[in-house]
Amino acid sequence: MQGLMMDTPLLISSLIRHADRYHGDTEIVSRLVEGGGIHRYSYREAHNRARKLANALTALGVKMNDRVATLAWNGFRHFEAYYAAAGMGAVSHTINPRLFPEQIIYIANHAEDRYVFVDLTFVPLVEAIADKCPLVKGWIFMTDKAHMPPTKLANVLCYEELIDAHSDDFDWPEFDERTASSLCYTSGTTGNPKGVLYSHRSTIIHCYASSMPDALNISARDVILPVVPMFHVNAWGLPYCAAMVGAKLVFPGAGLDGASVFELFEKEKVTVSAGVPTVWLGLLAFMKQNNKRFSALKRTVIGGSACPPAMIRSFEKDYGVQVIHAWGMTEMSPLGTVNTFKAKHNDWDAERRLGLQNNQGRAIFGVDMKIVDDAGKDLPWDGKAFGDLLVRGPWICKEYYRAEGGNPLRKDEHGRGWFPTGDVCNIDADGYMQITDRSKDVIKSGGEWISSIDLENTAVAHPAVAEAAVVGIRHPKWDERPLLVVVKKKDAQVTREELLKFFEGKVAKWWMPDDVVFVDQLPHTATGKLLKTKLREDFKDYKLPTDTSP
Ligand code: ADP
């Protein structure tokens, strides 16, 4: 017998319609890419303009399932493009502009993008790649007529002119909720980037789950500033969640330096933010140098790579801001686990609570996870046994776009597919998960594993260390041994010996890095994570002092 409840499809258009109806005057504030001034309007106006844009795209011939791409910062026009494209049944494809031009060309061709929205910053980029993207019918510059730059490109449109020519009379169509809504390529450390194709259904369910109190904890009383870019897994879903709950949104545009972000935090009374650890390094350094305090910020979501305990401590102790440590991946829309307390932790003292916050947290409802050994056998949840992390759930990818890379899933004994995350972790009896490494970064020393994340976290707790990376270096006796690569804080001094001494008593003896190298900067991926492949390449011929081979 089937239930007798309405089968209304879960569609992204319903989010913006809801925000207009119930939060029509709630603001969306953006730092403009043209000139850096502030643009301010409401969900109601955003909805009107998204409908104009949907009419404009229809007039340009964009149809159901066509891919419409963006090369853009976080801003109100990018927000409108998200809703117009998905709402009309097309696919909003966010391209990461920080990728190499060849990767962008590959991605735009692979996705068969029809139109591309372009922030002015990226005009030189598209001028350089346009003739290698023959399927793109037009480049829509996200600005008004007055700011249109001279360009040698032929098929260019002006965003404001485009929507001005159309009415906001557009009825969002109803269709199957499993229809594709947005597309995001993972950087793919090996091989070509692969597309993760989200559906309306997966997006809405992810949105419900990630807004909950034990997840990102957002509501109509919040002012959200996503520092995480809208081209990095849809800014972790925040442009959707904000509309669902009716939170005020603040978009930082291209101004991602500490001073610019801090100014917006204060002026707009931002209560919640989100970003990868590297962006907070800049902000915290700015705060410290200028002796600043936050007046409204309550929480910040940090994920994308392990948040160093020293950063959690500094946010909480120095600035009174709660860190919500979260883990996820592009293939998971992205949210998988979030670190929040249980009632039984209420009477723990501050230090013990800080200790618990260092792991990646518990699965949010909707995500099922397990850890397995090399043979695929389930491992116990005892906080010690570690193995490959597998996940399943309604917002987790089952196959990449155009079946790239074949079937990624691993079958269990019931024939159910699990997505292998590529992360190595342990899970404790309360369900808190701790990532020890990405499987390709773990250091294999004498048949045992050393966690590069643990060593990096220990290093950045040293007051003179700004950023640290640990990679495995080939060793004749142990296979691999850890090398610590360090960027010192501005004007700070520390020697190799002092740093190694700092590790004593904090990590097992055999985990001690065999050597320390100081560098001016570390390589990062297009989403701001440490680029270990590049580091391993840079240091592939490095000879450790413990390597006594000729
Ligand atoms: P990519 O880095 O390949 O572009 P993602 O942005 O989807 O793709 O990254 C997902 C990966 O980032 C995870 O599999 C995990 O290794 C890492 N990651 C994300 N959040 C955390 C976290 N809180 N702690 C440690 N690692 C994390």
Side-chain angles (χ1 to χ4, degrees):
M1 183 160 53
Q2 296 242 302
L4 296 173
M5 309 310 280
M6 289 187 200
D7 233 348
T8 53
L10 303 173
L11 297 176
I12 286 174
S13 54
S14 62
L15 294 173
I16 190 73
R17 197 161 33 205
H18 174 87
D20 174 349
R21 186 117 179 86
Y22 297 96
H23 306 279
D25 65 349
T26 297
E27 280 184 311
I28 300 176
V29 179
S30 311
R31 193 184 288 284
L32 289 166
V33 175
E34 325 85 291
I38 295 294
H39 174 273
R40 201 177 279 280
Y41 71 168
S42 63
Y43 275 115
R44 183 149 304 137
E45 288 165 276
H47 188 202
N48 287 346
R49 284 168 50 94
R51 283 177 299 183
K52 284 180 170 210
L53 182 56
N55 272 325
L57 291 173
T58 307
L60 288 173
V62 173
K63 298 199 179 51
M64 192 82 190
N65 300 332
D66 277 352
R67 272 74 63 206
V68 179
T70 59
L71 274 166
W73 301 109
N74 294 2
F76 68 104
R77 294 190 187 103
H78 202 174
F79 181 82
E80 292 162 8
Y82 262 46
Y83 280 99
M88 66 190 280
V91 177
S92 147
H93 171 205
T94 50
I95 306 180
N96 185 340
R98 294 187 185 131
L99 293 170
F100 292 117
E102 305 76 60
Q103 288 173 307
I104 297 180
I105 294 167
Y106 171 87
I107 288 174
N109 287 327
H110 189 267
E112 300 175 333
D113 293 326
R114 294 285 175 249
Y115 284 89
V116 183
F117 290 99
V118 185
D119 258 337
L120 294 188
T121 322
F122 309 116
V123 168
L125 170 69
V126 297
E127 284 178 336
I129 64 170
D131 58 355
K132 304 226 174 60
C133 303
L135 300 174
V136 174
K137 291 203 240 161
W139 307 89
I140 305 170
F141 288 5
M142 299 169 91
T143 191
D144 53 20
K145 194 164 177 215
H147 290 91
M148 278 299 278
T151 176
K152 54 179 197 234
L153 284 178
N155 41 353
V156 167
L157 296 152
C158 166
Y159 188 99
E160 292 298 331
E161 280 193 308
L162 185 67
I163 68 168
D164 273 353
H166 291 273
S167 88
D168 60 10
D169 184 10
F170 184 91
D171 274 336
W172 299 115
E174 267 206 15
F175 41 76
D176 186 333
E177 66 186 21
R178 289 165 300 181
T179 304
S181 59
S182 64
L183 176 63
C184 192
Y185 281 72
T186 65
S187 32
T189 32
T190 54
N192 282 320
K194 294 203 247 342
V196 180
L197 189 61
Y198 310 102
S199 68
H200 286 258
R201 174 186 150 81
S202 72
T203 304
I204 301 276
I205 306 179
H206 174 260
C207 196
Y208 275 119
S210 28
S211 303
M212 296 223 296
D214 267 3
L216 307 186
N217 185 14
I218 54 168
S219 75
R221 289 157 306 287
D222 279 313
V223 180
I224 307 177
L225 186 153
V227 180
V228 52
M230 289 168 76
F231 53 76
H232 187 195
V233 216
N234 296 315
W236 300 348
L238 287 170
Y240 303 122
C241 297
M244 180 179 269
V245 304
K248 172 175 162 181
L249 265 172
V250 183
F251 289 128
L256 297 177
D257 58 289
S260 308
V261 174
F262 180 74
E263 186 189 65
L264 276 184
F265 275 154
E266 289 306 294
K267 283 213 171 117
E268 301 304 327
K269 302 196 166 42
V270 172
T271 59
V272 185
S273 190
V276 296
T278 35
V279 308
W280 302 121
L281 279 179
L283 180 73
L284 289 177
F286 168 84
M287 304 278 298
K288 193 147 191 208
Q289 269 157 24
N290 298 282
N291 214 4
K292 299 280 191 197
R293 316 287 305 167
F294 296 110
S295 59
L297 190 67
K298 294 198 194 96
R299 306 182 291 288
T300 183
V301 184
I302 304 187
S305 48
C307 181
M311 185 175 280
I312 300 181
R313 182 178 289 273
S314 178
F315 263 115
E316 305 219 344
K317 292 241 153 139
D318 303 341
Y319 300 104
V321 173
Q322 183 201 351
V323 170
I324 303 179
H325 192 189
W327 164 86
M329 55 196 313
T330 306
E331 288 87 339
M332 299 178 72
S333 306
L335 209 54
T337 64
V338 184
N339 191 314
T340 54
F341 295 111
K342 298 184 177 186
K344 68 180 182 185
H345 304 128
N346 285 349
D347 44 4
W348 281 21
D349 64 37
E351 280 305 307
R352 209 168 157 206
R353 282 164 67 96
L354 266 177
L356 184 68
Q357 276 175 284
N358 294 336
N359 68 49
Q360 280 71 13
R362 297 177 276 122
I364 51 175
F365 175 77
V367 172
D368 202 2
M369 56 187 199
K370 62 176 182 174
I371 39 176
V372 297
D373 64 14
D374 286 345
K377 205 165 88 30
D378 276 30
L379 290 166
W381 289 21
D382 58 7
K384 292 190 195 87
F386 56 89
D388 291 324
L389 176 64
L390 309 185
V391 290
R392 226 174 111 70
W395 58 80
I396 296 167
C397 143
K398 64 175 177 192
E399 184 180 318
Y400 291 100
Y401 182 49
R402 294 175 57 185
E404 212 58 57
N407 181 354
L409 302 188
R410 281 203 218 155
K411 287 246 164 84
D412 65 14
E413 64 275 24
H414 308 291
R416 294 192 204 106
W418 290 76
F419 183 83
T421 61
D423 288 320
V424 176
C425 71
N426 64 58
I427 305 177
D428 74 11
D430 286 333
Y432 287 83
M433 184 268 277
Q434 178 162 38
I435 300 209
T436 45
D437 244 317
R438 289 190 105 164
S439 50
K440 48 189 179 292
D441 294 339
V442 80
I443 297 156
K444 296 180 178 119
S445 171
E448 302 271 3
W449 287 6
I450 297 176
S451 157
S452 66
I453 294 182
D454 261 13
L455 296 180
E456 287 156 7
N457 283 344
T458 308
V460 294
H462 190 286
V465 174
E467 210 184 358
V470 173
V471 286
I473 300 288
R474 211 186 307 273
H475 191 283
K477 180 161 176 211
W478 303 108
D479 288 339
E480 277 183 352
R481 288 296 302 160
L483 169 71
L484 173 62
V485 189
V486 169
V487 180
K488 281 188 242 179
K489 279 193 187 143
K490 204 165 158 255
D491 303 328
Q493 290 308 325
V494 64
T495 64
R496 171 188 184 277
E497 285 65 35
E498 283 162 351
L499 255 187
L500 290 176
K501 185 113 191 92
F502 184 73
F503 275 79
E504 279 174 21
K506 297 191 177 77
V507 301
K509 261 208 176 101
W510 64 276
W511 278 35
M512 275 293 212
D514 279 23
D515 205 3
V516 184
V517 176
F518 295 98
V519 293
D520 291 335
Q521 57 181 32
L522 287 166
H524 292 103
T525 67
T527 52
K529 306 180 190 199
L530 284 172
L531 187 55
K532 295 270 180 90
T533 42
K534 171 82 169 57
L535 266 186
R536 278 194 286 267
E537 181 60 29
D538 290 351
F539 286 96
K540 74 176 187 318
D541 298 323
Y542 192 82
K543 195 160 169 7
L544 292 165
T546 50
D547 174 355
T548 51
S549 63

